[in-house]
Amino acid sequence: MDSYNSGNPIGLGPRHRKPKRKYVAKLFIFLALLLLPIGGYVIYQYLSSNQQQTAVKSVQSLSEVPVANLDKARVEKWNGITKKVAYLTFEDGPTALTSDILQSLKEQNAKATFFLMGPNINQQANVVRTMSNDGHYIGLHSETHDYDTLYEKKQYVPEMLRVQKQIKQLTGHAPLLTRPPYGSSPSITKSIAKEIERANLRVWDWSIDSMDWYYKDSAKEVAKTVIDRAEDPVEIILLHEQPQTLRALPAIIAGLKKKGYQFSIYDEDFHIPYNFSKYPNL
């Protein structure tokens, strides 16, 4: 008899081990196999719900995302050097000299902006088409070129719109830029400026007068005037379709290139306000 258990009425000795019941383990495995697909389905629904909510939130948040400004950016400096741009602008054409001016520009690899008059367009339709095909900008310069008619009788906008229609018929493009005969100041009053804005037209004067109307017999003086006065990063140069201007053109282009200028045409998508009247809306 075991001395430890003898006389031990409350059974403080070693416990008697009951045999393991195998059906408990089998039941556990069965329940696990039963619950596994149910748990997987619950997890799948939870994840799917989160993805849908995230997608909805993403769509709703699109309106809150800042929209990038897609306007054309202008490079002002390159490798630390300020970009210098010259706009050659010719008035009063097309004339008998326009074809020669276009040829000279092509030889010098330069583009220009031409402000044309209505009656001259009718006489030089093929030249206007060539001008457009060569990549120059064609602007508006009225029909009459008459001060009283344009400004006193307020025919500035009506005349420009008629010229615009002529150019569109020949080139397929309705230009927006106008060049006021005699300049915008004091010609364009506030009331005329409002009419111009309502017609979605724009105004460009000039920063350099070539004085080709004054130096009629000296292409050298015309070229010297332009080159000497070109100092700012952006210069808008007033030229006329005159013999002295045509002769001066190669020297003007060469001189401005030497001073670091590139040549460009007016860009409707990046309008640079420049008018003597200082109207910011034009």
PDB file of all heavy atoms in Angstrom, residues 195-216:
ATOM      1  N   GLU A 195     -15.296  98.911 -76.414  1.00  0.00           N
ATOM      2  CA  GLU A 195     -15.770  98.263 -77.646  1.00  0.00           C
ATOM      3  C   GLU A 195     -14.749  97.230 -78.144  1.00  0.00           C
ATOM      4  O   GLU A 195     -15.123  96.145 -78.604  1.00  0.00           O
ATOM      5  CB  GLU A 195     -16.023  99.313 -78.728  1.00  0.00           C
ATOM      6  CG  GLU A 195     -17.201 100.246 -78.442  1.00  0.00           C
ATOM      7  CD  GLU A 195     -17.376 101.279 -79.539  1.00  0.00           C
ATOM      8  OE1 GLU A 195     -16.765 101.109 -80.603  1.00  0.00           O
ATOM      9  OE2 GLU A 195     -18.115 102.255 -79.315  1.00  0.00           O
ATOM     10  N   ILE A 196     -13.489  97.590 -78.047  1.00  0.00           N
ATOM     11  CA  ILE A 196     -12.428  96.672 -78.465  1.00  0.00           C
ATOM     12  C   ILE A 196     -12.445  95.408 -77.615  1.00  0.00           C
ATOM     13  O   ILE A 196     -12.347  94.292 -78.130  1.00  0.00           O
ATOM     14  CB  ILE A 196     -11.053  97.370 -78.377  1.00  0.00           C
ATOM     15  CG1 ILE A 196     -10.977  98.528 -79.375  1.00  0.00           C
ATOM     16  CG2 ILE A 196      -9.917  96.371 -78.625  1.00  0.00           C
ATOM     17  CD1 ILE A 196      -9.743  99.395 -79.213  1.00  0.00           C
ATOM     18  N   GLU A 197     -12.609  95.577 -76.314  1.00  0.00           N
ATOM     19  CA  GLU A 197     -12.638  94.428 -75.411  1.00  0.00           C
ATOM     20  C   GLU A 197     -13.855  93.546 -75.687  1.00  0.00           C
ATOM     21  O   GLU A 197     -13.749  92.317 -75.700  1.00  0.00           O
ATOM     22  CB  GLU A 197     -12.642  94.908 -73.963  1.00  0.00           C
ATOM     23  CG  GLU A 197     -12.569  93.770 -72.961  1.00  0.00           C
ATOM     24  CD  GLU A 197     -12.539  94.259 -71.524  1.00  0.00           C
ATOM     25  OE1 GLU A 197     -12.906  95.435 -71.288  1.00  0.00           O
ATOM     26  OE2 GLU A 197     -12.163  93.463 -70.638  1.00  0.00           O
ATOM     27  N   ARG A 198     -15.005  94.162 -75.911  1.00  0.00           N
ATOM     28  CA  ARG A 198     -16.224  93.381 -76.192  1.00  0.00           C
ATOM     29  C   ARG A 198     -16.092  92.585 -77.491  1.00  0.00           C
ATOM     30  O   ARG A 198     -16.659  91.505 -77.633  1.00  0.00           O
ATOM     31  CB  ARG A 198     -17.446  94.310 -76.261  1.00  0.00           C
ATOM     32  CG  ARG A 198     -17.959  94.764 -74.903  1.00  0.00           C
ATOM     33  CD  ARG A 198     -19.355  95.343 -75.023  1.00  0.00           C
ATOM     34  NE  ARG A 198     -19.375  96.555 -75.829  1.00  0.00           N
ATOM     35  CZ  ARG A 198     -19.270  97.780 -75.340  1.00  0.00           C
ATOM     36  NH1 ARG A 198     -19.130  97.975 -74.025  1.00  0.00           N
ATOM     37  NH2 ARG A 198     -19.297  98.837 -76.138  1.00  0.00           N
ATOM     38  N   ALA A 199     -15.336  93.119 -78.432  1.00  0.00           N
ATOM     39  CA  ALA A 199     -15.122  92.427 -79.706  1.00  0.00           C
ATOM     40  C   ALA A 199     -14.006  91.384 -79.619  1.00  0.00           C
ATOM     41  O   ALA A 199     -13.686  90.735 -80.625  1.00  0.00           O
ATOM     42  CB  ALA A 199     -14.780  93.438 -80.798  1.00  0.00           C
ATOM     43  N   ASN A 200     -13.430  91.236 -78.432  1.00  0.00           N
ATOM     44  CA  ASN A 200     -12.339  90.277 -78.198  1.00  0.00           C
ATOM     45  C   ASN A 200     -11.114  90.596 -79.055  1.00  0.00           C
ATOM     46  O   ASN A 200     -10.391  89.701 -79.498  1.00  0.00           O
ATOM     47  CB  ASN A 200     -12.801  88.839 -78.452  1.00  0.00           C
ATOM     48  CG  ASN A 200     -11.817  87.808 -77.905  1.00  0.00           C
ATOM     49  OD1 ASN A 200     -11.166  88.051 -76.890  1.00  0.00           O
ATOM     50  ND2 ASN A 200     -11.694  86.679 -78.573  1.00  0.00           N
ATOM     51  N   LEU A 201     -10.887  91.875 -79.290  1.00  0.00           N
ATOM     52  CA  LEU A 201      -9.707  92.317 -80.027  1.00  0.00           C
ATOM     53  C   LEU A 201      -8.659  92.819 -79.039  1.00  0.00           C
ATOM     54  O   LEU A 201      -8.970  93.124 -77.889  1.00  0.00           O
ATOM     55  CB  LEU A 201     -10.075  93.419 -81.020  1.00  0.00           C
ATOM     56  CG  LEU A 201     -11.054  93.029 -82.137  1.00  0.00           C
ATOM     57  CD1 LEU A 201     -11.407  94.253 -82.974  1.00  0.00           C
ATOM     58  CD2 LEU A 201     -10.477  91.925 -83.017  1.00  0.00           C
ATOM     59  N   ARG A 202      -7.436  92.935 -79.536  1.00  0.00           N
ATOM     60  CA  ARG A 202      -6.334  93.417 -78.695  1.00  0.00           C
ATOM     61  C   ARG A 202      -5.568  94.496 -79.442  1.00  0.00           C
ATOM     62  O   ARG A 202      -5.681  94.621 -80.654  1.00  0.00           O
ATOM     63  CB  ARG A 202      -5.421  92.252 -78.316  1.00  0.00           C
ATOM     64  CG  ARG A 202      -6.142  91.202 -77.478  1.00  0.00           C
ATOM     65  CD  ARG A 202      -5.458  89.877 -77.517  1.00  0.00           C
ATOM     66  NE  ARG A 202      -6.273  88.847 -76.867  1.00  0.00           N
ATOM     67  CZ  ARG A 202      -6.025  87.549 -76.939  1.00  0.00           C
ATOM     68  NH1 ARG A 202      -4.991  87.124 -77.642  1.00  0.00           N
ATOM     69  NH2 ARG A 202      -6.797  86.683 -76.327  1.00  0.00           N
ATOM     70  N   VAL A 203      -4.765  95.216 -78.686  1.00  0.00           N
ATOM     71  CA  VAL A 203      -4.061  96.375 -79.250  1.00  0.00           C
ATOM     72  C   VAL A 203      -2.570  96.262 -78.954  1.00  0.00           C
ATOM     73  O   VAL A 203      -2.177  95.941 -77.829  1.00  0.00           O
ATOM     74  CB  VAL A 203      -4.617  97.684 -78.653  1.00  0.00           C
ATOM     75  CG1 VAL A 203      -3.765  98.876 -79.091  1.00  0.00           C
ATOM     76  CG2 VAL A 203      -6.075  97.889 -79.075  1.00  0.00           C
ATOM     77  N   TRP A 204      -1.776  96.542 -79.976  1.00  0.00           N
ATOM     78  CA  TRP A 204      -0.319  96.587 -79.802  1.00  0.00           C
ATOM     79  C   TRP A 204       0.230  97.861 -80.431  1.00  0.00           C
ATOM     80  O   TRP A 204       0.030  98.110 -81.622  1.00  0.00           O
ATOM     81  CB  TRP A 204       0.316  95.378 -80.483  1.00  0.00           C
ATOM     82  CG  TRP A 204       1.071  94.490 -79.536  1.00  0.00           C
ATOM     83  CD1 TRP A 204       0.951  94.431 -78.186  1.00  0.00           C
ATOM     84  CD2 TRP A 204       2.060  93.521 -79.888  1.00  0.00           C
ATOM     85  NE1 TRP A 204       1.788  93.478 -77.668  1.00  0.00           N
ATOM     86  CE2 TRP A 204       2.480  92.902 -78.684  1.00  0.00           C
ATOM     87  CE3 TRP A 204       2.617  93.105 -81.087  1.00  0.00           C
ATOM     88  CZ2 TRP A 204       3.444  91.901 -78.654  1.00  0.00           C
ATOM     89  CZ3 TRP A 204       3.570  92.102 -81.060  1.00  0.00           C
ATOM     90  CH2 TRP A 204       3.990  91.506 -79.857  1.00  0.00           C
ATOM     91  N   ASP A 205       0.923  98.648 -79.619  1.00  0.00           N
ATOM     92  CA  ASP A 205       1.706  99.764 -80.153  1.00  0.00           C
ATOM     93  C   ASP A 205       3.135  99.265 -80.381  1.00  0.00           C
ATOM     94  O   ASP A 205       3.320  98.127 -80.787  1.00  0.00           O
ATOM     95  CB  ASP A 205       1.653 100.946 -79.186  1.00  0.00           C
ATOM     96  CG  ASP A 205       0.303 101.660 -79.228  1.00  0.00           C
ATOM     97  OD1 ASP A 205      -0.149 101.992 -80.331  1.00  0.00           O
ATOM     98  OD2 ASP A 205      -0.300 101.876 -78.162  1.00  0.00           O
ATOM     99  N   TRP A 206       4.125 100.086 -80.099  1.00  0.00           N
ATOM    100  CA  TRP A 206       5.508  99.677 -80.355  1.00  0.00           C
ATOM    101  C   TRP A 206       6.422 100.282 -79.308  1.00  0.00           C
ATOM    102  O   TRP A 206       6.126 101.306 -78.688  1.00  0.00           O
ATOM    103  CB  TRP A 206       5.936 100.124 -81.757  1.00  0.00           C
ATOM    104  CG  TRP A 206       5.753 101.607 -81.989  1.00  0.00           C
ATOM    105  CD1 TRP A 206       6.638 102.618 -81.730  1.00  0.00           C
ATOM    106  CD2 TRP A 206       4.567 102.239 -82.495  1.00  0.00           C
ATOM    107  NE1 TRP A 206       6.102 103.827 -82.047  1.00  0.00           N
ATOM    108  CE2 TRP A 206       4.820 103.637 -82.527  1.00  0.00           C
ATOM    109  CE3 TRP A 206       3.322 101.777 -82.933  1.00  0.00           C
ATOM    110  CZ2 TRP A 206       3.885 104.566 -82.968  1.00  0.00           C
ATOM    111  CZ3 TRP A 206       2.385 102.705 -83.380  1.00  0.00           C
ATOM    112  CH2 TRP A 206       2.668 104.083 -83.388  1.00  0.00           C
ATOM    113  N   SER A 207       7.556  99.633 -79.084  1.00  0.00           N
ATOM    114  CA  SER A 207       8.553 100.156 -78.129  1.00  0.00           C
ATOM    115  C   SER A 207       9.686 100.878 -78.844  1.00  0.00           C
ATOM    116  O   SER A 207      10.378 101.707 -78.240  1.00  0.00           O
ATOM    117  CB  SER A 207       9.112  99.011 -77.284  1.00  0.00           C
ATOM    118  OG  SER A 207       9.774  98.057 -78.099  1.00  0.00           O
ATOM    119  N   ILE A 208       9.907 100.554 -80.128  1.00  0.00           N
ATOM    120  CA  ILE A 208      10.954 101.224 -80.918  1.00  0.00           C
ATOM    121  C   ILE A 208      10.357 101.686 -82.239  1.00  0.00           C
ATOM    122  O   ILE A 208       9.809 100.878 -82.994  1.00  0.00           O
ATOM    123  CB  ILE A 208      12.144 100.287 -81.193  1.00  0.00           C
ATOM    124  CG1 ILE A 208      12.856  99.913 -79.888  1.00  0.00           C
ATOM    125  CG2 ILE A 208      13.142 100.945 -82.154  1.00  0.00           C
ATOM    126  CD1 ILE A 208      14.001  98.928 -80.086  1.00  0.00           C
ATOM    127  N   ASP A 209      10.476 102.965 -82.515  1.00  0.00           N
ATOM    128  CA  ASP A 209      10.107 103.509 -83.817  1.00  0.00           C
ATOM    129  C   ASP A 209      11.367 103.528 -84.680  1.00  0.00           C
ATOM    130  O   ASP A 209      12.352 104.202 -84.348  1.00  0.00           O
ATOM    131  CB  ASP A 209       9.547 104.918 -83.646  1.00  0.00           C
ATOM    132  CG  ASP A 209       9.026 105.514 -84.941  1.00  0.00           C
ATOM    133  OD1 ASP A 209       9.326 104.982 -86.036  1.00  0.00           O
ATOM    134  OD2 ASP A 209       8.328 106.544 -84.881  1.00  0.00           O
ATOM    135  N   SER A 210      11.339 102.799 -85.775  1.00  0.00           N
ATOM    136  CA  SER A 210      12.522 102.711 -86.637  1.00  0.00           C
ATOM    137  C   SER A 210      12.844 104.026 -87.337  1.00  0.00           C
ATOM    138  O   SER A 210      13.939 104.191 -87.886  1.00  0.00           O
ATOM    139  CB  SER A 210      12.331 101.631 -87.696  1.00  0.00           C
ATOM    140  OG  SER A 210      11.317 102.025 -88.610  1.00  0.00           O
ATOM    141  N   MET A 211      11.883 104.943 -87.351  1.00  0.00           N
ATOM    142  CA  MET A 211      12.023 106.241 -88.028  1.00  0.00           C
ATOM    143  C   MET A 211      12.192 106.064 -89.533  1.00  0.00           C
ATOM    144  O   MET A 211      12.741 106.941 -90.215  1.00  0.00           O
ATOM    145  CB  MET A 211      13.207 107.030 -87.447  1.00  0.00           C
ATOM    146  CG  MET A 211      13.123 107.309 -85.960  1.00  0.00           C
ATOM    147  SD  MET A 211      11.755 108.400 -85.521  1.00  0.00           S
ATOM    148  CE  MET A 211      12.340 109.958 -86.168  1.00  0.00           C
ATOM    149  N   ASP A 212      11.728 104.939 -90.078  1.00  0.00           N
ATOM    150  CA  ASP A 212      11.864 104.738 -91.521  1.00  0.00           C
ATOM    151  C   ASP A 212      10.991 105.711 -92.315  1.00  0.00           C
ATOM    152  O   ASP A 212      11.232 105.946 -93.504  1.00  0.00           O
ATOM    153  CB  ASP A 212      11.555 103.291 -91.898  1.00  0.00           C
ATOM    154  CG  ASP A 212      10.179 102.824 -91.436  1.00  0.00           C
ATOM    155  OD1 ASP A 212       9.456 103.605 -90.796  1.00  0.00           O
ATOM    156  OD2 ASP A 212       9.832 101.660 -91.711  1.00  0.00           O
ATOM    157  N   TRP A 213       9.984 106.293 -91.653  1.00  0.00           N
ATOM    158  CA  TRP A 213       9.158 107.323 -92.302  1.00  0.00           C
ATOM    159  C   TRP A 213       9.908 108.648 -92.393  1.00  0.00           C
ATOM    160  O   TRP A 213       9.574 109.523 -93.204  1.00  0.00           O
ATOM    161  CB  TRP A 213       7.862 107.516 -91.514  1.00  0.00           C
ATOM    162  CG  TRP A 213       8.093 107.784 -90.042  1.00  0.00           C
ATOM    163  CD1 TRP A 213       8.202 106.864 -89.043  1.00  0.00           C
ATOM    164  CD2 TRP A 213       8.283 109.058 -89.439  1.00  0.00           C
ATOM    165  NE1 TRP A 213       8.441 107.482 -87.832  1.00  0.00           N
ATOM    166  CE2 TRP A 213       8.483 108.839 -88.056  1.00  0.00           C
ATOM    167  CE3 TRP A 213       8.295 110.379 -89.912  1.00  0.00           C
ATOM    168  CZ2 TRP A 213       8.700 109.873 -87.136  1.00  0.00           C
ATOM    169  CZ3 TRP A 213       8.499 111.407 -89.000  1.00  0.00           C
ATOM    170  CH2 TRP A 213       8.697 111.153 -87.634  1.00  0.00           C
ATOM    171  N   TYR A 214      10.934 108.814 -91.570  1.00  0.00           N
ATOM    172  CA  TYR A 214      11.729 110.048 -91.544  1.00  0.00           C
ATOM    173  C   TYR A 214      12.995 109.909 -92.394  1.00  0.00           C
ATOM    174  O   TYR A 214      13.293 110.780 -93.220  1.00  0.00           O
ATOM    175  CB  TYR A 214      12.098 110.380 -90.097  1.00  0.00           C
ATOM    176  CG  TYR A 214      12.909 111.642 -89.950  1.00  0.00           C
ATOM    177  CD1 TYR A 214      12.299 112.894 -90.002  1.00  0.00           C
ATOM    178  CD2 TYR A 214      14.293 111.591 -89.764  1.00  0.00           C
ATOM    179  CE1 TYR A 214      13.046 114.063 -89.863  1.00  0.00           C
ATOM    180  CE2 TYR A 214      15.043 112.742 -89.628  1.00  0.00           C
ATOM    181  CZ  TYR A 214      14.407 113.981 -89.678  1.00  0.00           C
ATOM    182  OH  TYR A 214      15.152 115.138 -89.558  1.00  0.00           O
ATOM    183  N   TYR A 215      13.734 108.810 -92.206  1.00  0.00           N
ATOM    184  CA  TYR A 215      14.959 108.576 -92.976  1.00  0.00           C
ATOM    185  C   TYR A 215      14.611 107.899 -94.293  1.00  0.00           C
ATOM    186  O   TYR A 215      14.947 106.725 -94.536  1.00  0.00           O
ATOM    187  CB  TYR A 215      15.935 107.709 -92.174  1.00  0.00           C
ATOM    188  CG  TYR A 215      16.426 108.351 -90.899  1.00  0.00           C
ATOM    189  CD1 TYR A 215      16.106 107.812 -89.659  1.00  0.00           C
ATOM    190  CD2 TYR A 215      17.221 109.499 -90.937  1.00  0.00           C
ATOM    191  CE1 TYR A 215      16.570 108.393 -88.487  1.00  0.00           C
ATOM    192  CE2 TYR A 215      17.678 110.094 -89.763  1.00  0.00           C
ATOM    193  CZ  TYR A 215      17.347 109.534 -88.542  1.00  0.00           C
ATOM    194  OH  TYR A 215      17.806 110.116 -87.389  1.00  0.00           O
ATOM    195  N   LYS A 216      13.970 108.626 -95.172  1.00  0.00           N
ATOM    196  CA  LYS A 216      13.472 108.035 -96.416  1.00  0.00           C
ATOM    197  C   LYS A 216      14.588 107.686 -97.393  1.00  0.00           C
ATOM    198  O   LYS A 216      14.402 106.838 -98.269  1.00  0.00           O
ATOM    199  CB  LYS A 216      12.478 108.993 -97.075  1.00  0.00           C
ATOM    200  CG  LYS A 216      11.212 109.198 -96.249  1.00  0.00           C
ATOM    201  CD  LYS A 216      10.240 110.115 -96.957  1.00  0.00           C
ATOM    202  CE  LYS A 216       8.966 110.299 -96.139  1.00  0.00           C
ATOM    203  NZ  LYS A 216       7.978 111.177 -96.808  1.00  0.00           N
TER     204      LYS A 216
END
